[in-house]
Amino acid sequence: TVTGCTGVPQWFKMTVAGPVPVGQGPIFDAFPQTSTCYMVVCCDPLYPACCDTDTVCITVKPHPVLTWPMQYQTLCNNGGPITLNPADIYVIVNNVPIPVTQTGGTGFFSGTGVSGNIFTPPGIGTWTICYNYTAPNGCTATICNTINVQFCCDTTFQINAGNDTSICEGQF
């Protein structure tokens, strides 16, 4: 947004070939795919030879690309919590997967049954767990995975039929 201009601001994209007109008016919305500088020129309508210029640059930071190749084994509903490890999640840096724990970024797990890095099965079903990552450049990304929870018999449930005994034939 241009301020202090009494005329109609003219916007130009700065290229190696020189300025290229891209718009006019006090507001210019730019969404470049690569880092780009724009120049605005404003001339006084009463004195067209009196002009001023300013430049604004937009730096496009790379968006983090995450992968979470781990597939979790099916859990039992009574099996207790598991630890979620952020080192199992990777950010692609120069086409190489690097664990997010080694990139200098920050992140956290979220989802039903998640507290910190611990997932406690909240019931039977398929549960979505997400990792929310902020790269060192401030850009963010989220990736999700699923954990299946199934019903399993209670392993602490034991029955007892009593002690073995002997009887004489014909006696009850």
Side-chain angles (χ1 to χ4, degrees):
T1 301
V2 175
T3 59
C5 179
T6 58
V8 178
Q10 304 293 318
W11 290 91
F12 299 87
K13 178 180 177 178
M14 303 305 289
T15 70
V16 292
V20 175
V22 291
Q24 66 179 17
I27 298 173
F28 173 68
D29 291 325
F31 300 99
Q33 298 300 309
T34 59
S35 296
T36 306
C37 291
Y38 297 90
M39 176 178 66
V40 61
V41 178
C42 182
C43 297
D44 187 319
L46 298 177
Y47 306 99
C50 295
C51 299
D52 192 17
T53 64
D54 196 11
T55 303
V56 62
C57 295
I58 299 172
T59 302
V60 178
K61 299 175 184 179
H63 180 77
V65 177
L66 302 176
T67 63
W68 194 349
M70 180 173 186
Q71 289 192 333
Y72 290 92
Q73 293 182 355
T74 297
L75 302 177
C76 288
N77 62 315
N78 58 353
I82 63 167
T83 300
L84 303 168
N85 187 351
D88 294 331
I89 300 167
Y90 299 87
V91 62
I92 306 301
V93 177
N94 297 323
N95 293 323
V96 176
I98 307 289
V100 295
T101 54
Q102 297 177 14
T103 63
T106 60
F108 63 93
F109 290 99
S110 62
T112 303
V114 174
S115 178
N117 287 13
I118 303 297
F119 172 73
T120 303
I124 296 167
T126 300
W127 301 97
T128 300
I129 308 304
C130 294
Y131 187 77
N132 306 279
Y133 174 74
T134 302
N137 67 8
C139 296
T140 61
T142 299
I143 191 165
C144 297
N145 205 335
T146 58
I147 299 177
N148 293 313
V149 179
Q150 68 182 9
F151 173 79
C152 297
C153 291
D154 186 351
T155 57
T156 62
F157 180 73
Q158 296 180 3
I159 63 169
N160 186 341
N163 294 329
D164 291 343
T165 187
S166 300
I167 63 170
C168 293
E169 187 178 324
Q171 292 181 337
F172 300 100

Short mmCIF file of all heavy atoms in Angstrom, two decimals, residues 98-160:
data_model
loop_
_atom_site.label_atom_id
_atom_site.label_comp_id
_atom_site.label_asym_id
_atom_site.label_seq_id
_atom_site.Cartn_x
_atom_site.Cartn_y
_atom_site.Cartn_z
N ILE A 98 15.37 -35.35 6.02
CA ILE A 98 16.11 -35.11 7.26
C ILE A 98 15.11 -35.18 8.41
O ILE A 98 14.04 -34.56 8.33
CB ILE A 98 16.76 -33.70 7.25
CG1 ILE A 98 17.60 -33.48 6.00
CG2 ILE A 98 17.54 -33.46 8.53
CD1 ILE A 98 18.88 -34.25 5.93
N PRO A 99 15.41 -35.92 9.50
CA PRO A 99 14.49 -35.92 10.64
C PRO A 99 14.23 -34.50 11.12
O PRO A 99 15.16 -33.70 11.22
CB PRO A 99 15.22 -36.75 11.70
CG PRO A 99 16.17 -37.60 10.93
CD PRO A 99 16.58 -36.76 9.73
N VAL A 100 12.97 -34.20 11.42
CA VAL A 100 12.64 -32.83 11.86
C VAL A 100 13.41 -32.46 13.12
O VAL A 100 13.65 -31.27 13.36
CB VAL A 100 11.12 -32.65 12.08
CG1 VAL A 100 10.36 -32.78 10.78
CG2 VAL A 100 10.58 -33.58 13.14
N THR A 101 13.83 -33.44 13.89
CA THR A 101 14.58 -33.16 15.11
C THR A 101 15.98 -32.64 14.82
O THR A 101 16.65 -32.16 15.73
CB THR A 101 14.68 -34.43 15.97
OG1 THR A 101 15.22 -35.49 15.16
CG2 THR A 101 13.31 -34.84 16.50
N GLN A 102 16.42 -32.74 13.56
CA GLN A 102 17.78 -32.29 13.20
C GLN A 102 17.78 -31.03 12.33
O GLN A 102 18.81 -30.67 11.77
CB GLN A 102 18.51 -33.41 12.46
CG GLN A 102 18.73 -34.64 13.30
CD GLN A 102 19.39 -35.77 12.52
OE1 GLN A 102 19.92 -35.55 11.44
NE2 GLN A 102 19.35 -36.96 13.07
N THR A 103 16.63 -30.36 12.21
CA THR A 103 16.54 -29.23 11.29
C THR A 103 16.54 -27.87 11.98
O THR A 103 16.61 -26.85 11.31
CB THR A 103 15.26 -29.32 10.45
OG1 THR A 103 14.12 -29.25 11.32
CG2 THR A 103 15.23 -30.62 9.65
N GLY A 104 16.41 -27.85 13.30
CA GLY A 104 16.34 -26.58 14.00
C GLY A 104 14.94 -26.02 14.08
O GLY A 104 14.73 -24.96 14.66
N GLY A 105 13.96 -26.72 13.49
CA GLY A 105 12.57 -26.29 13.59
C GLY A 105 11.94 -26.79 14.88
O GLY A 105 12.59 -27.43 15.71
N THR A 106 10.68 -26.48 15.04
CA THR A 106 9.94 -26.94 16.22
C THR A 106 8.67 -27.62 15.76
O THR A 106 8.21 -27.41 14.63
CB THR A 106 9.58 -25.77 17.15
OG1 THR A 106 8.76 -24.84 16.42
CG2 THR A 106 10.83 -25.06 17.66
N GLY A 107 8.09 -28.41 16.65
CA GLY A 107 6.84 -29.07 16.29
C GLY A 107 6.19 -29.70 17.50
O GLY A 107 6.77 -29.81 18.58
N PHE A 108 4.95 -30.13 17.26
CA PHE A 108 4.20 -30.81 18.32
C PHE A 108 3.18 -31.74 17.70
O PHE A 108 2.73 -31.54 16.57
CB PHE A 108 3.52 -29.80 19.25
CG PHE A 108 2.49 -28.94 18.57
CD1 PHE A 108 1.16 -29.30 18.55
CD2 PHE A 108 2.87 -27.75 17.96
CE1 PHE A 108 0.21 -28.49 17.90
CE2 PHE A 108 1.93 -26.94 17.32
CZ PHE A 108 0.61 -27.33 17.30
N PHE A 109 2.85 -32.79 18.44
CA PHE A 109 1.83 -33.75 18.02
C PHE A 109 0.47 -33.27 18.50
O PHE A 109 0.35 -32.61 19.53
CB PHE A 109 2.11 -35.13 18.62
CG PHE A 109 3.31 -35.81 18.02
CD1 PHE A 109 4.54 -35.79 18.67
CD2 PHE A 109 3.21 -36.48 16.81
CE1 PHE A 109 5.64 -36.42 18.12
CE2 PHE A 109 4.31 -37.11 16.25
CZ PHE A 109 5.53 -37.08 16.91
N SER A 110 -0.57 -33.63 17.74
CA SER A 110 -1.93 -33.30 18.14
C SER A 110 -2.87 -34.42 17.67
O SER A 110 -2.53 -35.20 16.80
CB SER A 110 -2.37 -31.95 17.54
OG SER A 110 -2.37 -32.02 16.12
N GLY A 111 -4.02 -34.46 18.27
CA GLY A 111 -5.03 -35.45 17.90
C GLY A 111 -5.68 -36.02 19.15
O GLY A 111 -5.19 -35.87 20.27
N THR A 112 -6.79 -36.70 18.95
CA THR A 112 -7.50 -37.33 20.05
C THR A 112 -6.61 -38.40 20.67
O THR A 112 -6.06 -39.24 19.97
CB THR A 112 -8.83 -37.95 19.56
OG1 THR A 112 -9.61 -36.94 18.93
CG2 THR A 112 -9.61 -38.58 20.70
N GLY A 113 -6.47 -38.37 21.97
CA GLY A 113 -5.64 -39.34 22.68
C GLY A 113 -4.19 -38.92 22.81
O GLY A 113 -3.39 -39.66 23.37
N VAL A 114 -3.83 -37.75 22.25
CA VAL A 114 -2.44 -37.30 22.29
C VAL A 114 -2.25 -36.28 23.41
O VAL A 114 -3.01 -35.34 23.55
CB VAL A 114 -2.03 -36.66 20.94
CG1 VAL A 114 -0.63 -36.07 21.03
CG2 VAL A 114 -2.10 -37.68 19.83
N SER A 115 -1.19 -36.51 24.19
CA SER A 115 -0.78 -35.55 25.20
C SER A 115 0.74 -35.48 25.13
O SER A 115 1.43 -36.46 25.44
CB SER A 115 -1.23 -36.00 26.59
OG SER A 115 -0.78 -35.08 27.56
N GLY A 116 1.26 -34.35 24.66
CA GLY A 116 2.70 -34.25 24.43
C GLY A 116 3.10 -35.22 23.33
O GLY A 116 2.58 -35.16 22.23
N ASN A 117 4.02 -36.11 23.64
CA ASN A 117 4.47 -37.12 22.68
C ASN A 117 3.88 -38.50 23.00
O ASN A 117 4.38 -39.51 22.53
CB ASN A 117 6.01 -37.22 22.68
CG ASN A 117 6.66 -36.03 22.03
OD1 ASN A 117 6.04 -35.02 21.77
ND2 ASN A 117 7.93 -36.16 21.74
N ILE A 118 2.82 -38.53 23.79
CA ILE A 118 2.22 -39.80 24.21
C ILE A 118 0.84 -39.94 23.58
O ILE A 118 0.02 -39.04 23.64
CB ILE A 118 2.09 -39.88 25.75
CG1 ILE A 118 3.45 -39.68 26.42
CG2 ILE A 118 1.44 -41.19 26.18
CD1 ILE A 118 4.48 -40.75 26.10
N PHE A 119 0.60 -41.13 22.96
CA PHE A 119 -0.73 -41.46 22.45
C PHE A 119 -1.30 -42.57 23.32
O PHE A 119 -0.72 -43.64 23.46
CB PHE A 119 -0.66 -41.96 21.00
CG PHE A 119 -1.98 -42.50 20.49
CD1 PHE A 119 -3.02 -41.63 20.18
CD2 PHE A 119 -2.18 -43.86 20.33
CE1 PHE A 119 -4.24 -42.13 19.73
CE2 PHE A 119 -3.39 -44.36 19.86
CZ PHE A 119 -4.42 -43.49 19.56
N THR A 120 -2.43 -42.28 23.95
CA THR A 120 -3.16 -43.26 24.74
C THR A 120 -4.43 -43.59 23.97
O THR A 120 -5.24 -42.69 23.71
CB THR A 120 -3.50 -42.69 26.13
OG1 THR A 120 -2.29 -42.29 26.77
CG2 THR A 120 -4.21 -43.73 26.98
N PRO A 121 -4.61 -44.87 23.59
CA PRO A 121 -5.80 -45.22 22.80
C PRO A 121 -7.08 -44.76 23.49
O PRO A 121 -7.36 -45.17 24.62
CB PRO A 121 -5.73 -46.76 22.72
CG PRO A 121 -4.28 -47.07 22.88
CD PRO A 121 -3.76 -46.04 23.84
N PRO A 122 -7.84 -43.88 22.83
CA PRO A 122 -9.07 -43.38 23.44
C PRO A 122 -10.27 -44.30 23.24
O PRO A 122 -11.35 -44.03 23.75
CB PRO A 122 -9.29 -42.04 22.73
CG PRO A 122 -8.63 -42.22 21.41
CD PRO A 122 -7.50 -43.18 21.61
N GLY A 123 -10.08 -45.38 22.50
CA GLY A 123 -11.17 -46.31 22.21
C GLY A 123 -10.83 -47.10 20.96
O GLY A 123 -9.77 -46.95 20.37
N ILE A 124 -11.76 -47.93 20.57
CA ILE A 124 -11.58 -48.76 19.37
C ILE A 124 -11.86 -47.91 18.13
O ILE A 124 -12.79 -47.11 18.12
CB ILE A 124 -12.53 -49.97 19.45
CG1 ILE A 124 -12.15 -50.85 20.65
CG2 ILE A 124 -12.49 -50.79 18.17
CD1 ILE A 124 -13.17 -51.89 21.01
N GLY A 125 -11.02 -48.09 17.11
CA GLY A 125 -11.22 -47.36 15.86
C GLY A 125 -9.90 -46.91 15.27
O GLY A 125 -8.82 -47.30 15.71
N THR A 126 -9.99 -46.06 14.25
CA THR A 126 -8.82 -45.50 13.60
C THR A 126 -8.69 -44.06 14.05
O THR A 126 -9.63 -43.27 13.90
CB THR A 126 -8.95 -45.59 12.06
OG1 THR A 126 -9.08 -46.96 11.70
CG2 THR A 126 -7.74 -44.99 11.37
N TRP A 127 -7.53 -43.72 14.57
CA TRP A 127 -7.30 -42.39 15.14
C TRP A 127 -6.25 -41.65 14.33
O TRP A 127 -5.23 -42.21 13.97
CB TRP A 127 -6.86 -42.52 16.60
CG TRP A 127 -7.91 -43.23 17.39
CD1 TRP A 127 -7.95 -44.56 17.71
CD2 TRP A 127 -9.13 -42.68 17.89
NE1 TRP A 127 -9.09 -44.86 18.38
CE2 TRP A 127 -9.85 -43.71 18.52
CE3 TRP A 127 -9.68 -41.39 17.88
CZ2 TRP A 127 -11.08 -43.52 19.12
CZ3 TRP A 127 -10.90 -41.21 18.48
CH2 TRP A 127 -11.59 -42.25 19.09
N THR A 128 -6.53 -40.39 14.04
CA THR A 128 -5.62 -39.55 13.27
C THR A 128 -4.75 -38.75 14.22
O THR A 128 -5.25 -38.04 15.09
CB THR A 128 -6.39 -38.61 12.33
OG1 THR A 128 -7.17 -39.41 11.42
CG2 THR A 128 -5.45 -37.73 11.53
N ILE A 129 -3.43 -38.88 14.01
CA ILE A 129 -2.44 -38.16 14.79
C ILE A 129 -1.73 -37.22 13.82
O ILE A 129 -1.34 -37.63 12.73
CB ILE A 129 -1.40 -39.14 15.39
CG1 ILE A 129 -2.08 -40.28 16.14
CG2 ILE A 129 -0.40 -38.40 16.26
CD1 ILE A 129 -3.01 -39.85 17.23
N CYS A 130 -1.56 -35.96 14.20
CA CYS A 130 -0.89 -34.99 13.32
C CYS A 130 0.36 -34.44 14.00
O CYS A 130 0.45 -34.40 15.22
CB CYS A 130 -1.83 -33.84 12.97
SG CYS A 130 -3.25 -34.37 11.97
N TYR A 131 1.30 -34.04 13.15
CA TYR A 131 2.50 -33.35 13.62
C TYR A 131 2.51 -31.98 12.95
O TYR A 131 2.44 -31.87 11.73
CB TYR A 131 3.78 -34.12 13.27
CG TYR A 131 5.01 -33.52 13.90
CD1 TYR A 131 5.28 -33.71 15.25
CD2 TYR A 131 5.89 -32.75 13.16
CE1 TYR A 131 6.40 -33.14 15.84
CE2 TYR A 131 7.02 -32.19 13.74
CZ TYR A 131 7.26 -32.38 15.08
OH TYR A 131 8.37 -31.82 15.66
N ASN A 132 2.56 -30.95 13.77
CA ASN A 132 2.53 -29.56 13.32
C ASN A 132 3.95 -29.01 13.44
O ASN A 132 4.48 -28.93 14.54
CB ASN A 132 1.55 -28.76 14.17
CG ASN A 132 0.19 -29.42 14.20
OD1 ASN A 132 -0.60 -29.26 13.29
ND2 ASN A 132 -0.08 -30.21 15.24
N TYR A 133 4.53 -28.66 12.30
CA TYR A 133 5.95 -28.29 12.24
C TYR A 133 6.12 -26.84 11.82
O TYR A 133 5.43 -26.36 10.92
CB TYR A 133 6.64 -29.21 11.22
CG TYR A 133 8.08 -28.89 10.94
CD1 TYR A 133 9.08 -29.17 11.86
CD2 TYR A 133 8.46 -28.31 9.73
CE1 TYR A 133 10.41 -28.89 11.59
CE2 TYR A 133 9.79 -28.03 9.46
CZ TYR A 133 10.76 -28.32 10.39
OH TYR A 133 12.07 -28.04 10.12
N THR A 134 7.06 -26.16 12.48
CA THR A 134 7.47 -24.81 12.09
C THR A 134 8.95 -24.86 11.75
O THR A 134 9.77 -25.20 12.61
CB THR A 134 7.21 -23.79 13.21
OG1 THR A 134 5.81 -23.81 13.53
CG2 THR A 134 7.62 -22.39 12.78
N ALA A 135 9.26 -24.55 10.50
CA ALA A 135 10.65 -24.57 10.02
C ALA A 135 11.40 -23.37 10.60
O ALA A 135 10.79 -22.40 11.05
CB ALA A 135 10.67 -24.53 8.49
N PRO A 136 12.73 -23.42 10.58
CA PRO A 136 13.52 -22.28 11.07
C PRO A 136 13.19 -20.97 10.36
O PRO A 136 13.35 -19.90 10.93
CB PRO A 136 14.97 -22.70 10.82
CG PRO A 136 14.94 -24.19 10.82
CD PRO A 136 13.60 -24.55 10.23
N ASN A 137 12.70 -21.02 9.11
CA ASN A 137 12.36 -19.80 8.38
C ASN A 137 10.98 -19.26 8.74
O ASN A 137 10.54 -18.26 8.19
CB ASN A 137 12.46 -20.02 6.87
CG ASN A 137 11.43 -20.98 6.32
OD1 ASN A 137 10.50 -21.39 7.01
ND2 ASN A 137 11.58 -21.34 5.05
N GLY A 138 10.26 -19.94 9.66
CA GLY A 138 8.95 -19.49 10.11
C GLY A 138 7.78 -20.08 9.35
O GLY A 138 6.63 -19.89 9.73
N CYS A 139 8.04 -20.79 8.25
CA CYS A 139 6.96 -21.41 7.49
C CYS A 139 6.51 -22.69 8.20
O CYS A 139 7.29 -23.35 8.87
CB CYS A 139 7.43 -21.72 6.07
SG CYS A 139 7.83 -20.22 5.13
N THR A 140 5.23 -23.04 8.01
CA THR A 140 4.66 -24.18 8.74
C THR A 140 4.11 -25.23 7.81
O THR A 140 3.78 -24.96 6.65
CB THR A 140 3.53 -23.71 9.68
OG1 THR A 140 2.49 -23.12 8.89
CG2 THR A 140 4.02 -22.70 10.70
N ALA A 141 4.01 -26.44 8.34
CA ALA A 141 3.40 -27.56 7.63
C ALA A 141 2.85 -28.54 8.66
O ALA A 141 3.32 -28.60 9.79
CB ALA A 141 4.41 -28.25 6.71
N THR A 142 1.86 -29.29 8.24
CA THR A 142 1.26 -30.32 9.09
C THR A 142 1.17 -31.60 8.29
O THR A 142 0.83 -31.58 7.11
CB THR A 142 -0.15 -29.89 9.56
OG1 THR A 142 -0.03 -28.69 10.31
CG2 THR A 142 -0.80 -30.96 10.41
N ILE A 143 1.49 -32.71 8.95
CA ILE A 143 1.36 -34.03 8.33
C ILE A 143 0.65 -34.93 9.34
O ILE A 143 0.82 -34.77 10.55
CB ILE A 143 2.72 -34.61 7.90
CG1 ILE A 143 2.50 -35.83 7.02
CG2 ILE A 143 3.61 -34.90 9.09
CD1 ILE A 143 3.73 -36.27 6.25
N CYS A 144 -0.18 -35.85 8.82
CA CYS A 144 -0.96 -36.72 9.69
C CYS A 144 -0.70 -38.18 9.37
O CYS A 144 -0.31 -38.52 8.25
CB CYS A 144 -2.45 -36.40 9.56
SG CYS A 144 -2.88 -34.72 10.07
N ASN A 145 -0.95 -39.01 10.36
CA ASN A 145 -0.81 -40.45 10.26
C ASN A 145 -1.98 -41.06 11.02
O ASN A 145 -2.68 -40.34 11.74
CB ASN A 145 0.54 -40.89 10.86
CG ASN A 145 1.05 -42.20 10.31
OD1 ASN A 145 0.29 -43.03 9.84
ND2 ASN A 145 2.36 -42.38 10.39
N THR A 146 -2.18 -42.35 10.88
CA THR A 146 -3.28 -42.99 11.60
C THR A 146 -2.75 -44.14 12.46
O THR A 146 -1.72 -44.75 12.14
CB THR A 146 -4.36 -43.54 10.65
OG1 THR A 146 -3.76 -44.46 9.74
CG2 THR A 146 -5.04 -42.43 9.89
N ILE A 147 -3.46 -44.38 13.53
CA ILE A 147 -3.19 -45.52 14.41
C ILE A 147 -4.51 -46.25 14.60
O ILE A 147 -5.52 -45.65 14.98
CB ILE A 147 -2.62 -45.06 15.76
CG1 ILE A 147 -1.29 -44.32 15.56
CG2 ILE A 147 -2.44 -46.26 16.69
CD1 ILE A 147 -0.68 -43.77 16.84
N ASN A 148 -4.49 -47.55 14.29
CA ASN A 148 -5.68 -48.39 14.47
C ASN A 148 -5.65 -49.01 15.85
O ASN A 148 -4.62 -49.52 16.30
CB ASN A 148 -5.73 -49.49 13.41
CG ASN A 148 -5.96 -48.92 12.03
OD1 ASN A 148 -6.82 -48.08 11.83
ND2 ASN A 148 -5.17 -49.36 11.08
N VAL A 149 -6.80 -48.97 16.50
CA VAL A 149 -6.96 -49.57 17.82
C VAL A 149 -8.07 -50.60 17.73
O VAL A 149 -9.17 -50.29 17.26
CB VAL A 149 -7.29 -48.50 18.89
CG1 VAL A 149 -7.47 -49.14 20.26
CG2 VAL A 149 -6.20 -47.42 18.92
N GLN A 150 -7.76 -51.82 18.16
CA GLN A 150 -8.76 -52.89 18.09
C GLN A 150 -9.05 -53.43 19.48
O GLN A 150 -8.29 -53.23 20.41
CB GLN A 150 -8.26 -54.02 17.18
CG GLN A 150 -7.08 -54.79 17.75
CD GLN A 150 -6.57 -55.87 16.81
OE1 GLN A 150 -6.99 -55.94 15.66
NE2 GLN A 150 -5.68 -56.70 17.30
N PHE A 151 -10.18 -54.14 19.56
CA PHE A 151 -10.53 -54.78 20.83
C PHE A 151 -9.62 -55.97 21.05
O PHE A 151 -9.37 -56.76 20.14
CB PHE A 151 -11.99 -55.26 20.80
CG PHE A 151 -12.35 -56.06 22.02
CD1 PHE A 151 -12.62 -55.42 23.22
CD2 PHE A 151 -12.37 -57.44 21.98
CE1 PHE A 151 -12.92 -56.16 24.36
CE2 PHE A 151 -12.67 -58.18 23.12
CZ PHE A 151 -12.95 -57.54 24.30
N CYS A 152 -9.10 -56.09 22.23
CA CYS A 152 -8.29 -57.24 22.62
C CYS A 152 -8.83 -57.75 23.95
O CYS A 152 -9.24 -56.96 24.81
CB CYS A 152 -6.82 -56.87 22.79
SG CYS A 152 -6.03 -56.28 21.28
N CYS A 153 -8.81 -59.07 24.12
CA CYS A 153 -9.27 -59.64 25.38
C CYS A 153 -8.40 -59.13 26.52
O CYS A 153 -7.21 -58.88 26.35
CB CYS A 153 -9.20 -61.17 25.34
SG CYS A 153 -10.41 -61.89 24.21
N ASP A 154 -9.01 -59.00 27.66
CA ASP A 154 -8.31 -58.53 28.85
C ASP A 154 -7.35 -59.62 29.32
O ASP A 154 -7.77 -60.69 29.75
CB ASP A 154 -9.32 -58.18 29.94
CG ASP A 154 -8.67 -57.54 31.15
OD1 ASP A 154 -7.43 -57.50 31.23
OD2 ASP A 154 -9.42 -57.08 32.02
N THR A 155 -6.07 -59.37 29.23
CA THR A 155 -5.07 -60.38 29.60
C THR A 155 -4.96 -60.54 31.11
O THR A 155 -4.35 -61.49 31.59
CB THR A 155 -3.69 -60.01 29.03
OG1 THR A 155 -3.33 -58.72 29.50
CG2 THR A 155 -3.70 -60.04 27.51
N THR A 156 -5.55 -59.66 31.88
CA THR A 156 -5.53 -59.80 33.34
C THR A 156 -6.71 -60.63 33.83
O THR A 156 -6.77 -60.98 35.00
CB THR A 156 -5.55 -58.42 34.03
OG1 THR A 156 -6.78 -57.76 33.69
CG2 THR A 156 -4.35 -57.58 33.60
N PHE A 157 -7.61 -60.96 32.93
CA PHE A 157 -8.80 -61.74 33.28
C PHE A 157 -8.43 -63.22 33.35
O PHE A 157 -8.00 -63.80 32.36
CB PHE A 157 -9.89 -61.51 32.22
CG PHE A 157 -11.16 -62.25 32.45
CD1 PHE A 157 -12.03 -61.86 33.46
CD2 PHE A 157 -11.50 -63.33 31.67
CE1 PHE A 157 -13.22 -62.53 33.67
CE2 PHE A 157 -12.68 -64.01 31.88
CZ PHE A 157 -13.55 -63.61 32.89
N GLN A 158 -8.52 -63.81 34.54
CA GLN A 158 -8.19 -65.21 34.72
C GLN A 158 -9.28 -65.87 35.53
O GLN A 158 -9.78 -65.30 36.49
CB GLN A 158 -6.85 -65.38 35.44
CG GLN A 158 -5.69 -64.86 34.65
CD GLN A 158 -4.36 -65.03 35.40
OE1 GLN A 158 -4.33 -65.60 36.48
NE2 GLN A 158 -3.29 -64.54 34.81
N ILE A 159 -9.62 -67.08 35.12
CA ILE A 159 -10.61 -67.82 35.90
C ILE A 159 -9.90 -68.94 36.64
O ILE A 159 -8.79 -69.33 36.31
CB ILE A 159 -11.73 -68.39 35.00
CG1 ILE A 159 -11.17 -69.41 34.00
CG2 ILE A 159 -12.47 -67.26 34.28
CD1 ILE A 159 -12.25 -70.19 33.29
N ASN A 160 -10.57 -69.45 37.66
CA ASN A 160 -10.02 -70.52 38.47
C ASN A 160 -11.12 -71.52 38.72
O ASN A 160 -12.15 -71.18 39.31
CB ASN A 160 -9.47 -69.96 39.79
CG ASN A 160 -8.76 -71.00 40.62
OD1 ASN A 160 -8.95 -72.22 40.42
ND2 ASN A 160 -7.97 -70.55 41.57
#
